[in-house]
Amino acid sequence: MSSLSSSTRQLIERLGATDQLAQQDQSIGLAAERAVLRQQLAALSAYKTEQLYLLGEAAVLLENALLLADQPQTHLQLSAQLADLYLQFFKVTQEQRYLMVAGQILKPLSHSNHLSISWQLLRLHALGNQPALTQYWVKKLLGSGQVTWTQLDDLAELVPMRGLDWLQQLQQRYQH
């Protein structure tokens, strides 16, 4: 374990601690944290099999937590996290079915005006190479005042679209 970075070691330690806590605490918040830790470890892993295993565990945790969610805000947060997870599955596998699943989670919630849902919809449409829908979500997010151009500029999913006129015009308009 000496070859692991200190941040990876800390993630693994926190994962073990939260898994231990889960034996007594089956809260939605703990399930969401356990899923995030697995997603973070999957992102750090160099092995596709390990990534898929961790993401699969995270999916089970989030789907079970969604079944227990009784507050609308909690449901929206968990749905955004689950969509993020399926977008991560897509990045690992490049299988279109993961984009479809993310879309099935997000599209019924698209009128919620919840920032996390809008952000995931932007990512979904960018990964699905749908420039018109991507443009819609970029404009909506920038217009909300909650997202800056810098945050969008850092979004890897928008890199393939950087040459499009509408994106360059928005960059000129919102970049300060």
Side-chain angles (χ1 to χ4, degrees), residues 70-141:
D70 55 358
Q71 299 294 318
Q73 192 68 12
T74 303
H75 186 267
L76 288 171
Q77 289 169 341
L78 289 170
S79 295
Q81 188 177 348
L82 187 59
D84 177 65
L85 173 83
Y86 281 107
L87 294 177
Q88 193 172 351
F89 262 122
F90 173 76
K91 286 182 170 184
V92 171
T93 66
Q94 295 300 304
E95 293 178 24
Q96 292 293 314
R97 66 183 170 142
Y98 293 116
L99 290 181
M100 288 176 41
V101 173
Q104 289 170 342
I105 294 165
L106 292 169
K107 288 176 185 174
L109 304 171
S110 63
H111 299 292
S112 70
N113 289 324
H114 191 272
L115 181 63
S116 295
I117 296 294
S118 297
W119 186 263
Q120 298 307 336
L121 280 160
L122 165 63
R123 293 181 61 228
L124 170 70
H125 295 304
L127 285 169
N129 195 26
Q130 298 174 303
L133 288 167
T134 303
Q135 179 181 10
Y136 172 82
W137 291 107
V138 166
K139 286 181 177 180
K140 183 170 181 156
L141 285 164

Side-chain angles (χ1 to χ4, degrees), residues 148-172:
T148 65
W149 178 259
T150 302
Q151 290 169 303
L152 288 173
D153 200 36
D154 290 340
L155 190 61
E157 290 86 350
L158 286 178
V159 169
M161 295 188 182
R162 285 204 174 134
L164 298 177
D165 289 341
W166 64 264
L167 193 57
Q168 291 175 355
Q169 290 167 0
L170 286 171
Q171 179 181 8
Q172 290 173 355

